[in-house]
Every structure is written in structure tokens, then in C-alpha cells.
Amino acid sequence: MSRDLPESGRREFLKTFSLMAGGTALLSTFPSMAKLYASSVNKSPSQPVVRLGVIGTGSRGQYLMQMLQNVPDTEIVAVCDDFKPHLDQAVALTGGKASPYSDYRRLLERKDVEGVIIAVPLHLHAAIAIDAMKAGKHVFSEKSMAKTTDECASMLKVHYQTGKILQIGHQRVFDIRFVRGVQWIRDGHIGPVTQIRAWWHRNNDWRREVIPPSTERRTNWRLYREYSCGLMTELASHHLQVANWVLDAHPVSVTGTGSINYWKDGREVFDNVAVIYTYPGGVQFIYDSVISNKKYGLEVQVMGPLGTVEMEAGKYFLENPPPAPGIVQLINSIEKDLFEVVPVGGPSWVPENPSEDKGTYFINKILYSDGSDMQLVAFAEAVRQNKIVPGLAEQGYLAGVATLLGDEATLTGKTIYWPSELEVEAIKKTAEI
Amino acid sequence: MASRLDLVIPEIAGKQGDNVALKIRSELNRLENLLNPYLSDSIIARVNRFAYHHEVETGSELIHLLHRCIRYVQFTSGLFDISMLRTKQRLKEHAHPDDYASVRQQTSAITSVILNEEKNTIRFLSPDVQIDTGAFGKGYALDRIRNILSEEGIANAFVSFGESSLLGMGLHPSGNAWKIRLNVPGNDAECEISLSDAFVSVSGNVPKFAESPPEQKVHIIDPRTGKAVNTTGVVAVVAKSGLEAEALSTALFLADPDDYQSIMKAFDCSLVYRLMPDKAGKITKYSFKNSDQ
């Protein structure tokens, strides 16, 4: 289907891709990914089409399908959902080309399906992803990874055992603002990271229209403990992935709290949470989320003694302002053997307002992508090449486990420590047995 | 001192440059601990907190420095006053002009600061006195930096401390001095100054000052009235000492131009520029040479 993409859209798409691959940013954040980008940008006209299935065709699944329409040389050949209206919509999205399935196991039996996109409620991620990998399919599964830490560990283990791609939908890994931000931090521009502060605020009830009423729990699965861990798995997991990525580590421990203080409508998950994760070296990741106020939106602020990076905004701020322009001019004139008058000197009074520094953008252009489409491009390319991007499954795993430990902290009020059996190396060992 | 220090030393070897920069940084840290009233453990903070209740021992450096400042207070007939920190804080807290009078009533003069040069102690006779090192700290620091540079055998250097206090040592490598042009927003009048082994201190209010909320319009206090001065304009003083330049620029910003010569005579100052708005609001430049130099 993507062969039908208008040339202008395709050009824009590849331009953004090229921007991502440029420079050294990707080489130090995800070295192997640069190869995928490069091969996708420089694709040969005769490269094989990747055939994919989509399991879960609700709103998120259909959103991903629309993204896939723009991914070069991919085809959605099968779609699956046990809710017929969503399944019909998905078939229509493919122009009737995809075969419909109500049972994902039947879809997995298709030999021509090389990979699957899983966009089902959280509690179903693990079972479907594991079945898919065991059926020889590469897997892209929406975040958060799974509903329990055991399920996360099982998914990672099967990934190691089968050698199949397991990519979790943390699109910020593919967002150029974040890629550049992580690179900038690693280059030492803000000094050692001393604290990360993040939040995600919305102002809505988080409900979806229920038709018919009997489908309330399955439609609003995010609100019920049986299916979801609420704000932690649905929102916080993204920013935990970013924190892990920035610090190149997972948290040592987490404390937290949460409550339902506004949307008292029968939901079971908290409508506000506040958690503090401690990383190695005593670096704190302070996070809160509410759905009763949206003034502050969402942000991840990475702070060090020399500066701050606002990852969502894609900009940085330096603690120490640059030298006065006059001083820079003076240095330039000395280097050029010029004797010039230097504009410097004035009263010391400045307004005691908060810093008026608007920050500096990493990318001075309107972005075509927030990473949502790029993650699918990368997945399709990895499937085409049958190559695992080292470290990518682990990003999803570590974010997923951190999210669930944070959820446990909010439920118990206790400090939760990262269990040794959930270390990546421990999972690798169990996979070898 | 909450300001950025820019140091330009031409033609210096990298290692020596690093060494000099480290020495200057170390000296600035030392001065912060001596003179920053907002550092709770600094010596001046302890003085401001306890000197009304009992004598506070400070060491000889601060006593000698304050002694010099008090002489400058006398030379300027009180226009330069280092005892106004509490007044400044009260003006920020009670920003409405109606409060000025009551604030002033609570303020005592510099005569309430008693220095004991034998015991190196300070005592305040009034609970309303606190030393405001913001009026002279950067100038003193520049004097100290000049000494360090000289000790290191550096003849040519340019130093800017928050842009309001400047030092030009020796010569620009391609010229016969360090030439600067005052960077005063709203100023149409060119004001170029040549510096060679001299300091410049700039005092005044930029136009943006006038647009600020009352609590932020507390920068220069007129000790005669206890009021913050809202005049937009600038006075720049060229002198052989950073401390003197800073004391004098504050005083001359407040002084009547007719009194400039008599005040300047007491200082080792060569030149003063006054950039003030005329009746039409246009900033006009006047220069004054010290007739005693």
C-alpha cells in the first residue's frame, strides 16, 4: 500500500529520516539503528515488501495503521480484533486488502506474515507477543510492555530464545528531539545529570464513548485494575524510558503515592500519582501525573550543574549565560589583530524576574515526525533485514519493569527495590537454560 | 556577587592562563565568603545578623575595607552610603511610595557603624543598619584581580565584572589602550572610553527599569531621602582603583553636577561621564575631568 504514497509525502518522510541518521547522535545512542536508517533512506527500488499483521484495531491500532501507510514497502495483509466494528474499520483502512481475523492465533498461522503490530489492552500484551514470537513472527507491541513484571521477563526471555525482534512502542527513541537531547547530554554539556523532573498532566476523564453499555470495561480498560495500571503504564512508562535512556541505567528503587481525588466515577486506577525513582549515584527521577489540570502539559527536564534539557520541547538552557557580545567581539578583534571599540559596560541592574532565557532548540525547523511513524519505519526495516537492534527490546523491558515497580510503590506506600531476578543479565541466563 | 566575570588575557600560554584563571576563581570564592550578605555563613552576613547585639570579629581585611568605604561616605557627604541594605530590603517589601517615609524613619545613618581597628570588630548602634556590599564589592574584587594579574607578570588584560565594573590593564595588543563603548539601552549619545591601567564603574538605571514593578525599582537608594531613585540614566567613572570608581559612580549618579568637581577632588579619578535625559527625554552626554589631576 505504501507504494501509493504521494512522492511529496514520501520525500518529506525520508528527509526526516535522513535528518535522524545524520551526524553522530544515533551512533552513540543506538549504534545499530543508524544502519537501519541508512539502508531505509538509500533503499534499492527492488527491495522486498514487508508483510505485517495488526492485532488490536481499536483507536491506537488504527492510528498505527495510518502511520504504516507512509512506511515504504510495507503491506498490512491481516488484521485482527474480536470487536467487529473495529475489525471492519481496519479492513476498510486497507482498502479491503487485509484479511480479517477475530482470533489472533489464526492470524499467526499465516506463513506470509513476517511481523505483527500489537495494539491490544495492556493485560493481553504478553500472551499475544509471546505466542507471536514462538510462531516465528517479529513483534512490535504498544507500550507499556506488560501488566506484570513476570510477564515482562517472560517476553524478554522468549525474545532471546526465539531471536525474534521485540520492539515496544516507545516512540521517543525515534524522535529526533530526544535523540539529539540524549546525545547533547552525553557530550557533557549540562555536566553530570543530577536530577530529572518529569510530569504528564491532562484535564479529562480519560473515558471513551461506550457503545453498547455492556462494553464499558473493555472500552475503558485503562480505568480498571484488571487490565491496566492507569497513569503509570499508560503515560509514565514513556518518560521512564527516557530517564533510563538518558542515565543509561534502570532505577535502584522507587517510592510513591497516588489517589483518586477528582474523577470519582467508579474507576479503579488512580487519577493522580507522584513517584520518586532513585537511580545509581543517587540521581532522582521525580515524576507526577494528574488528569484534572493541563496547564503544565508534559515535560522531561534533565538537569545538571551546567544546564537543563527540556526533552519534550527539544531545547536546552545553560546555567551560565554566554559571554557578553562585546567580550566575544574583543576576543575576535585580538585574534584578527584589529583594534576596535568594544561595546561593553552598563548599569548592573537587571529585573528580578525568572530567567527570560527561552532556551535553544536542538532542531530549528518544524518537525514532520514525533517518532510515532519512525518507530514503525525502523521496525519494518529491521523485519526486512531480519536484524535485531541491540538494546531496543531492553529499553522497552526496563521501562516496563520500572513502571510496574512504581505502580507497586503507589499501591503499597513502600519503597520498592529492583529485584535481582529482573536484571537483564538474569533474564538472559534463564533464556539459556 | 551574582555577576559574571569575563577575563581576557591576550597572548598567554594555555597552562599559565589556566593557572591564573584558577587563582582568580579562588580569590572570588574567598571574597564571596567575605562579602556576600546573602550567603548565610559569610562574614558580612554574620556582621549584619549579630553586630547590633554584640561586637563581631571579622578579621582585618573587612575592617580596613569598611574603613575606606566610610571615608568615601565622608568625601561624598553621604551620597555613597554602605549602610542601606535593610532600607533596600524594606523598600522592596513596602514598595508603595507612601511607605517611604516610614521606612526612612527606621533607617539610621552610617554613624551607627562602629569599627574597632585594634580588635578587628564591628558593632552597630542601631538595629536598622546593615552593610550593603553590593555598593562596592565588585570594585574591590577588581582591585584584587588586578593585583593577582600583576603578581603573575601579566601586563595586558581586560576584565569585565558584570559589565558594570571594568578593568583595562596595559594595552590592547593592536592598540594603545582598551577602547570600550558604553552599552546603555536607549542611549543615542556615543560614549567611548579608553582604558589603560584604569577602572570604569557604571551606575544608573536603564530604561527598562522605569517599566518594572515597584518592588523591583529598588536599585540605587538616595541616602538623603531613603527613597529609591527612579531616574533613567548613567554615570561612568574612570579611576585608578576599582573600589574608588564604584563608590564614586554611585555618589555622582545622585549628586548635582555642580558638586562633581568638589567630590571628584577627593578621589584618584580622572574622568566622569554623565549620560542623563534632557527635558525632551533624549539622553545627553556630559564629561567632567578631575581638575586636580
Side-chain angles (χ1 to χ4, degrees), chain A residues 41-96:
Chain A
V41 171
N42 303 313
K43 71 178 192 68
S44 72
S46 59
Q47 71 177 5
V49 171
V50 172
R51 292 187 169 78
L52 301 172
V54 177
I55 301 172
T57 57
S59 59
R60 185 68 188 177
Q62 289 183 32
Y63 175 73
L64 294 176
M65 286 176 70
Q66 286 165 0
M67 295 281 177
L68 280 169
Q69 311 267 3
N70 288 338
V71 178
D73 300 314
T74 60
E75 192 174 349
I76 301 171
V77 297
V79 290
C80 173
D81 204 297
D82 60 357
F83 187 56
K84 192 157 185 316
H86 286 166
L87 187 60
D88 293 343
Q89 289 163 7
V91 172
L93 264 178
T94 66

Side-chain angles (χ1 to χ4, degrees), chain A residues 320-331 333-354 356, chain B residues 4 6 8 10 92 138 158 160 163-164 166 172-184 192 202 204-206 208-209 212 216 219 234:
Chain A
N320 296 312
I327 296 295
V328 176
Q329 187 180 325
L330 174 60
I331 293 167
S333 72
I334 290 171
E335 287 175 347
K336 292 174 184 166
D337 281 339
L338 296 173
F339 182 44
E340 293 179 332
V341 180
V342 178
V344 67
S348 60
W349 180 87
V350 290
E352 292 176 13
N353 298 334
E356 291 182 2
Chain B
R4 181 190 179 93
D6 289 307
V8 180
K92 286 183 180 179
K138 281 190 287 190
F158 184 84
S160 165
E163 291 208 54
S164 62
L166 309 163
H172 184 291
S174 309
N176 55 6
W178 298 89
K179 281 209 284 196
I180 64 164
R181 181 172 56 247
L182 288 190
N183 189 15
V184 182
E192 288 185 9
V202 186
N205 295 320
V206 295
K208 200 171 181 183
F209 182 86
S212 300
Q216 290 197 18
H219 178 217
V234 157

